[in-house]
């Protein structure tokens, strides 16, 4: 019984829905009611205007006025329900529904006064009065408190003004029948309206839920992929850190160990020189490890940029051969080259990065080829028929060796970050697992392609395909013959990972050229001050120190003209960095001071660091750790001018 009563209450109050369901669609119901009011009000206004027009001669003067008033009121009501003010407030929509009924009832009552028959009007109005509110989906509480009293008042007034108590009684059963019929019809119509809106609402919600589920599924898949990538990356980085811990500790152990041995054998110059040479080799290897890590970090952060300049290919290839020849000779490797197909020697390219690509691959070939093996380096220029028509020409760089080769499985991962093959043959060879990842990224930046073919125990072959614009200017001075078509030399264990790490031929300090000249060394680190001061004073220079850029500017401002022959400027310093200090010195009004040569001597060694140094007004760039030969090469250039 309780369930039946609950069902009955829900049917009467909420169109057959549960209370919470009804509340869910309350905004949609309000909007539907508003639209119904607009349609009904406009229809009634139109109806009364038509009635006045068509039956003008048969309508009482009072009724004409009532009908015209009704048309105006219904028109106003229709317009009001179109306003944003009513659309945004549900209680105003209900008020408009009540006004509609009051107007309609009032017009019905007053227009019924007269000689016309009341029977038809009474029954018709009863049907409309009971059905109309249900068209607005008004609930049973509103029906009981407003519509039923309004209907009773309507019937009472009709009967009274028609001298009509007898008429009312006569039509009582008829009126009650139509009232009940209208009420049931209204409830049914309201239920249909409510259920229709609820179904539409639920369908839209189902679509939203489906879309959300689809989005959730995609998000879950993305998250799972991201998690898998993160786990793979973490595993790779863990392996990398383990490798790096070993690879960095190896040269560090050598540096610390041989330093101790050198101190213990200070009275034996031959041994000390031997130890110092080994310390230098270990230091260069440690620097190459650090450079690889920094390069990979810059690539991943998107900070690496290509700078195209005229390059003379024969000069570039000759320099590469010079860099690797010591390593080739150390392992007694045969080295064959064939550059005979090069037709265009002058190109526009980033020489540093092209060097890096070729050196990285050649270094691997040297490292992984046993003593007595062979390496071939071939360059083919793409035929005229294959060349693009945008002023570019293609080159295919092929490096092949008779080394230990790679497994098929590892070849799939060779260009991945931190990737190294685990095997007995490889484990004793130093490396970060970053060289090929760096090479692949640089090749991609150049819009080129790199591929590898390898077989364990037989060797590997790397092919790099690149396109360069042809340069009209000759970037170098060496003729094409400077690289013989079939050059052969022998060689190496570990070639440097970067051209700048290569040890150039020793250039002795010219004491007669440097004697008596004063250098201002701007450096905040005391150990670096001591190293640079010792190198410079041993070569005949006088050295003055400044601990930061601001101190350097003050010293230049207060010194006599011509006192400083050169300034060696660090970059990262407290108070004022090297760039700002250089700009302030260049801005001095005294040309003798503002034009003092300034060389950057810094650990900021990337291409943009060099460009910033030149833009700030410096005359050159030297990287740390100090390469003594490179330092004196730059000093010779400046003082020989």
């Amino acid at each position: 019984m309780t369930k039946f009563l609950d069902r009955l209450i829900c049917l009467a109050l909420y169109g057959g829905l549960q209370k919470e369901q009804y509340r869910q669609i309350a905004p949609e119901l309000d909007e539907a009611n508003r639209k119904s009011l607009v349609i009904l009000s406009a229809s009634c206004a139109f109806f009364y205007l038509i009635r006045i027009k068509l039956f003008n001669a048969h309508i009482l003067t009072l009724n004409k006025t009532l009908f015209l008033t009704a048309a105006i009121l219904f028109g106003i009501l229709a317009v009001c329900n179109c306003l944003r003010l009513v659309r945004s407030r549900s209680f105003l929509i209900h008020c408009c529904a009540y006004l509609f009924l009051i107007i309609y009832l009032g017009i019905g009552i007053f227009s019924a006064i007269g000689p016309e028959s009341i029977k038809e009007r009474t029954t018709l109005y009863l049907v409309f009065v009971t059905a109309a509110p249900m068209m607005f989906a008004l609930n049973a509480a509103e029906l009981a408190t407003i519509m039923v009293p309004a209907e009773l008042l309507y019937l009472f007034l009709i009967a009274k003004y028609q001298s009509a108590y007898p008429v009312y009684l006569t039509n009582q059963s008829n009126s009650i029948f139509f009232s009940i019929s209208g009420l049931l019809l209204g409830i049914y119509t309201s239920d249909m309206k409510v259920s229709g809106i609820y179904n539409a609402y639920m369908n839209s919600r189902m679509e939203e839920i489906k879309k959300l589920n689809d989005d959730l599924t995609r998000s879950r898949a993305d998250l799972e992929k991201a998690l898998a990538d993160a786990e793979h990356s973490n595993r790779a980085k863990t392996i990398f850190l383990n490798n790096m811990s070993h690879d960095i500790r190896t040269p560090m152990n050598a540096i610390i160990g041989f330093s101790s041995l050198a101190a213990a054998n200070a009275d034996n110059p031959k041994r000390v020189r031997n130890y110092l040479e080994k310390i230098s080799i270990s230091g260069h290897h440690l620097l190459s490890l650090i450079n690889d890590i920094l390069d990979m970090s810059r690539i991943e952060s998107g900070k690496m940029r290509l700078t195209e300049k005229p390059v003379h290919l024969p000069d570039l290839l000759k320099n590469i051969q010079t860099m690797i020849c010591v390593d080739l000779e150390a392992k007694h490797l045969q080295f064959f080259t064939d550059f005979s197909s090069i037709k265009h020697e002058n190109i526009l390219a980033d020489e540093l990065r092209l060097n890096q690509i070729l050196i990285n691959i050649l270094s691997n070939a040297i490292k992984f080829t046993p003593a007595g093996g062979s390496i071939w380096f071939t360059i083919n220029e793409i035929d005229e028929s294959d060349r693009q028509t945008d002023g570019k020409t293609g080159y295919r760089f092929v490096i092949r060796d008779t080394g230990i080769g790679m497994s098929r499985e590892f070849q799939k991962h060779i260009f991945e970050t931190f990737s190294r093959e685990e095997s007995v043959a490889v484990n004793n060879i130093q490396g970060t697992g970053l060289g090929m990842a760096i090479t692949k990224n640089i090749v991609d930046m150049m819009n080129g392609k790199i591929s590898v073919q390898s077989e364990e125990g037989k060797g590997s072959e790397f092919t790099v395909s690149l396109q360069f614009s042809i340069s009209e200017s000759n970037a170098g001075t060496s003729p094409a013959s400077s690289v013989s078509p079939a050059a052969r030399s022998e060689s190496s264990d570990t070639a440097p990972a970067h051209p700048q790490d290569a040890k150039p031929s020793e250039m002795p300090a010219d004491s007669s050229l440097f004697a008596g000249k004063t250098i201002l060394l701007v450096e905040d680190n005391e150990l670096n001050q001591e190293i640079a001061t010792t190198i410079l004073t041993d070569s005949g220079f006088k050295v003055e120190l400044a601990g930061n850029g601001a101190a350097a500017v003050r010293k230049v401002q207060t010194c006599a003209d011509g006192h400083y022959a050169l300034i060696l400027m660090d970059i990262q310093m407290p108070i004022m960095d090297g760039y700002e200090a250089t700009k302030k010195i260049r801005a001095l009004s005294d040309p003798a001071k503002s034009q003092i040569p300034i060389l950057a001597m810094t650990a900021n060694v990337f291409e943009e660091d060099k460009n910033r140094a030149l833009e700030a007004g410096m005359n050159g760039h030297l990287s740390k750790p100090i390469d003594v030969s490179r330092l004196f090469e730059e000093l010779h250039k400046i003082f020989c001018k």
Side-chain angles (χ1 to χ4, degrees), residues 82-93:
C82 293
L83 298 178
R84 181 178 298 177
L85 179 67
V86 174
R87 290 204 304 266
S88 60
R89 290 167 175 80
S90 61
F91 75 92
L92 289 179
I93 296 173

Side-chain angles (χ1 to χ4, degrees), residues 70 73-74 77 94-110 128-129 136 146-147 150 153-154:
L73 292 175
F74 282 130
L77 199 60
H94 282 249
C95 289
C96 288
Y98 304 147
L99 285 174
F100 174 87
L101 295 170
I102 289 169
I103 295 169
Y104 201 97
L105 287 172
I107 298 301
I109 290 169
F110 288 110
F128 185 81
V129 165
F136 304 131
I146 297 173
M147 296 313 304
L153 178 63
Y154 171 75

Side-chain angles (χ1 to χ4, degrees), residues 59-79:
I59 299 175
L60 296 175
T61 303
L62 175 61
N63 284 353
K64 289 181 183 179
T65 304
L66 288 173
F67 294 162
L68 181 60
T69 303
I72 294 171
L73 292 175
F74 282 130
I76 293 173
L77 199 60
V79 172

Side-chain angles (χ1 to χ4, degrees), residues 367-438:
K367 283 196 294 184
F368 297 109
T369 300
S374 301
I375 297 173
W376 289 265
F377 182 18
T378 305
I379 302 179
N380 296 312
E381 185 171 346
I382 296 175
D383 292 340
E384 196 79 26
S385 58
D386 297 332
R387 190 189 309 163
Q388 294 185 353
T389 58
D390 56 0
K392 292 186 176 183
T393 187
Y395 296 86
R396 189 176 291 112
F397 303 84
V398 181
I399 297 170
R400 180 165 58 89
D401 62 62
T402 58
I404 61 176
M406 292 174 280
S407 66
R408 289 183 179 274
E409 181 61 27
F410 180 69
Q411 290 178 48
K412 301 174 184 177
H413 306 284
I414 185 172
F415 298 118
E416 295 178 4
T417 309
F418 313 126
S419 179
R420 293 191 70 189
E421 185 164 27
E422 295 297 325
S423 68
V424 175
V426 174
N427 286 342
N428 292 325
I429 300 176
Q430 293 180 334
T432 62
L434 291 174
M436 285 298 98
I438 293 170

Side-chain angles (χ1 to χ4, degrees), residues 58-274:
H58 303 287
I59 299 175
L60 296 175
T61 303
L62 175 61
N63 284 353
K64 289 181 183 179
T65 304
L66 288 173
F67 294 162
L68 181 60
T69 303
I72 294 171
L73 292 175
F74 282 130
I76 293 173
L77 199 60
V79 172
C80 287
N81 279 277
C82 293
L83 298 178
R84 181 178 298 177
L85 179 67
V86 174
R87 290 204 304 266
S88 60
R89 290 167 175 80
S90 61
F91 75 92
L92 289 179
I93 296 173
H94 282 249
C95 289
C96 288
Y98 304 147
L99 285 174
F100 174 87
L101 295 170
I102 289 169
I103 295 169
Y104 201 97
L105 287 172
I107 298 301
I109 290 169
F110 288 110
S111 64
I113 299 173
E116 291 96 342
S117 170
I118 192 65
K119 182 177 179 180
E120 291 80 7
R121 292 189 184 184
T122 301
T123 52
L124 289 174
Y125 276 106
L126 282 172
V127 173
F128 185 81
V129 165
T130 53
M134 306 312 291
M135 295 295 290
F136 304 131
L138 303 177
N139 60 38
E142 292 171 315
L143 286 172
T145 57
I146 297 173
M147 296 313 304
V148 173
E151 290 178 13
L152 293 175
L153 178 63
Y154 171 75
L155 293 173
F156 174 77
L157 290 175
I158 291 293
K160 180 179 179 180
Y161 285 107
Q162 289 286 338
S163 310
Y165 291 111
V167 176
Y168 174 71
L169 294 173
T170 304
N171 295 302
Q172 185 176 14
S173 59
N174 199 27
S175 300
I176 291 173
F177 171 77
F178 279 110
S179 296
I180 294 173
S181 301
L183 185 61
L184 294 175
L185 177 63
I187 292 173
Y188 173 77
T189 308
S190 177
D191 287 355
M192 293 297 292
K193 181 176 183 179
V194 171
S195 61
I197 292 174
Y198 182 74
N199 289 336
Y201 169 80
M202 290 306 297
N203 287 337
S204 65
R205 292 295 298 158
M206 289 299 294
E207 288 295 326
E208 292 178 14
I209 292 171
K210 182 181 177 184
K211 185 176 182 300
L212 288 174
N213 284 334
D214 291 342
D215 292 342
L216 184 61
T217 302
R218 284 193 294 270
S219 298
R220 184 182 291 111
D222 292 342
L223 287 174
E224 289 174 353
K225 184 179 183 301
L227 178 61
D229 291 344
E231 290 175 346
H232 175 75
S233 178
N234 286 335
R235 285 194 299 270
K237 287 181 180 178
T238 300
I239 295 170
F240 162 72
L241 290 173
N242 291 337
N243 290 336
M244 286 302 301
S245 175
H246 171 269
D247 290 347
I248 288 178
R249 286 174 185 272
T250 299
M252 284 299 299
N253 180 64
I255 291 169
I256 294 170
F258 286 124
S259 296
S260 299
L261 291 173
N265 293 272
D267 56 346
N268 190 333
K270 184 176 181 180
R271 281 192 175 183
V272 170
R273 279 196 300 272
N274 181 46

